[in-house]
Amino acid sequence: APTGVAPAAGALRWELPGWAGSVDLLLITTPDGTEPGLSLLAEQAYRRGCTVVAVAPTRSPLTEAVDGAHGLFVPMATAPYEHDEPLAASAPGVLWALLTPLLAILDRTGLLSAPPEALEKVADRLDQVAERCGPAVATYSNPAKTLAAELADSLPVIWTEGTSAGPAGRRFAAALAELAGRPALVSELPEALAEHNALLAGPLAASADPDDFFRDRVAEAPALHARVVLLRDRPIGGLTAAPTARDLALSHDTPISELEPEEGGELETLAELIAMTDFAAVYLALASGA
């Protein structure tokens, strides 16, 4: 995480921990590559003797900094129409353009298991989601369009359960804010049951402010009410807080939407949840004119 402001105007600063040295590896991923603070970080790592690997757009200042640090620079994959321009971190496709080479590197270093066949399965799962959630698929059979329609005029309260669902939920909240301009709350089960109980019982509950018959439906926007979005992996051994979560939401007259990936490895289920929520965030942004 950034630790402050860098000498360059308006730039953030990143600091290596005091113990970082010649046996350590610094990995930098960014969809921009122009952040002065990251170039300074690469130079700092070089002075400490760290190995530097960066994934970023080509022809960026970070490229030169990594080359100067005798590190490895991996060009971020971009679509032909993007022309290597800086992209929003939550833009569809950016995550996988950064994460895929990073997974390959981490697999080669033995920090995690992501062999080529696992990455191929991730690509296949992303293709399957695109076939189900693409623009040409009608809303009634398109889970992403359905979720976007359900979240219209709602405050998304995202509850997650499982190893893959946690990061997918946090990314969904970030994508809703960055792409659709929508605030969202996110928490993991079972802690979410206590954290958001008062919220669902307060003025954001669907039953808290019943629709006023005399409200001017043209001039006045409808009241904002919470809607729970439950993202979950398939439970291991049948242990799950999902039934309790459903009961809590419904006891406060709060509608609930659920997404659960098909069976597969952790990377595949993570890919499916992220892809479906990415589609939903984009559809919500288009519908709201964001």
Side-chain angles (χ1 to χ4, degrees), residues 178-234:
E178 188 168 356
L179 300 179
R182 293 294 191 91
L185 302 174
V186 60
S187 182
E188 296 187 12
L189 292 176
E191 291 82 4
L193 301 178
E195 290 177 4
H196 292 159
N197 183 36
L199 182 149
L200 298 183
L204 291 174
S207 59
D209 182 22
D211 193 17
D212 184 355
F213 180 80
F214 297 101
R215 178 175 62 85
D216 187 336
R217 286 162 174 75
V218 176
E220 299 178 28
L224 185 69
H225 296 301
R227 185 182 188 97
V228 171
V229 179
L230 178 58
L231 307 180
R232 56 193 294 259
D233 298 345
R234 292 182 177 272

Side-chain angles (χ1 to χ4, degrees), residues 130-285:
E131 292 173 357
R132 294 172 55 200
C133 301
V137 181
T139 301
Y140 64 84
S141 58
N142 186 323
K145 285 185 179 180
T146 299
L147 178 59
E150 291 171 344
L151 292 179
D153 301 320
S154 297
L155 172 67
V157 179
I158 304 167
W159 292 348
T160 67
E161 184 179 57
T163 304
S164 299
R170 293 190 292 273
R171 174 175 169 82
F172 188 30
L176 287 171
E178 188 168 356
L179 300 179
R182 293 294 191 91
L185 302 174
V186 60
S187 182
E188 296 187 12
L189 292 176
E191 291 82 4
L193 301 178
E195 290 177 4
H196 292 159
N197 183 36
L199 182 149
L200 298 183
L204 291 174
S207 59
D209 182 22
D211 193 17
D212 184 355
F213 180 80
F214 297 101
R215 178 175 62 85
D216 187 336
R217 286 162 174 75
V218 176
E220 299 178 28
L224 185 69
H225 296 301
R227 185 182 188 97
V228 171
V229 179
L230 178 58
L231 307 180
R232 56 193 294 259
D233 298 345
R234 292 182 177 272
I236 299 175
L239 298 176
T240 174
T244 306
R246 295 187 193 101
D247 291 343
L248 176 63
L250 297 177
S251 69
H252 294 301
D253 294 325
T254 300
I256 184 169
S257 304
E258 297 189 39
L259 290 180
E260 182 178 290
E262 299 294 330
E263 293 183 355
E266 286 186 8
L267 285 178
E268 293 172 74
T269 56
L270 175 66
E272 180 174 342
L273 287 173
I274 287 178
M276 292 181 69
T277 50
D278 273 357
F279 269 109
V282 170
Y283 289 138
L284 189 57

Side-chain angles (χ1 to χ4, degrees), residues 2 5 13 27-28 38 42 70 85 88 96 100 122 141 207 257 268 275 280 282 285:
V5 179
R13 182 177 71 243
L27 300 173
I28 302 175
L38 291 182
H70 303 287
E85 296 177 358
W96 297 106
T100 302
V122 169
S141 58
S207 59
S257 304
E268 293 172 74
V282 170

Side-chain angles (χ1 to χ4, degrees), residues 2-208:
T3 58
V5 179
L12 296 176
R13 182 177 71 243
W14 286 265
E15 291 286 345
L16 290 174
W19 46 259
S22 58
V23 297
D24 296 305
L25 170 65
L26 171 66
L27 300 173
I28 302 175
T29 61
T30 172
D32 191 330
T34 63
E35 305 95 332
L38 291 182
S39 296
L40 294 174
L41 177 63
E43 295 170 4
Q44 179 188 160
Y46 177 63
R47 292 194 298 270
R48 295 273 199 96
C50 298
T51 300
V52 181
V53 176
V55 183
T58 57
R59 296 187 296 276
S60 64
L62 183 59
T63 308
E64 299 177 4
V66 173
D67 288 341
H70 303 287
L72 171 65
F73 179 81
V74 181
M76 187 185 83
T78 56
Y81 56 83
E82 290 170 348
H83 304 296
D84 295 329
E85 296 177 358
L87 299 169
S90 294
V94 170
L95 171 69
W96 297 106
L98 293 172
L99 184 58
T100 302
L102 190 60
L103 289 172
I105 291 170
L106 294 177
D107 179 72
R108 293 293 296 273
T109 59
L111 292 177
L112 53 77
S113 178
E117 54 270 22
L119 298 183
E120 289 291 339
K121 290 180 179 179
V122 169
D124 291 341
R125 184 66 65 95
L126 292 174
D127 285 341
Q128 294 168 9
V129 174
E131 292 173 357
R132 294 172 55 200
C133 301
V137 181
T139 301
Y140 64 84
S141 58
N142 186 323
K145 285 185 179 180
T146 299
L147 178 59
E150 291 171 344
L151 292 179
D153 301 320
S154 297
L155 172 67
V157 179
I158 304 167
W159 292 348
T160 67
E161 184 179 57
T163 304
S164 299
R170 293 190 292 273
R171 174 175 169 82
F172 188 30
L176 287 171
E178 188 168 356
L179 300 179
R182 293 294 191 91
L185 302 174
V186 60
S187 182
E188 296 187 12
L189 292 176
E191 291 82 4
L193 301 178
E195 290 177 4
H196 292 159
N197 183 36
L199 182 149
L200 298 183
L204 291 174
S207 59

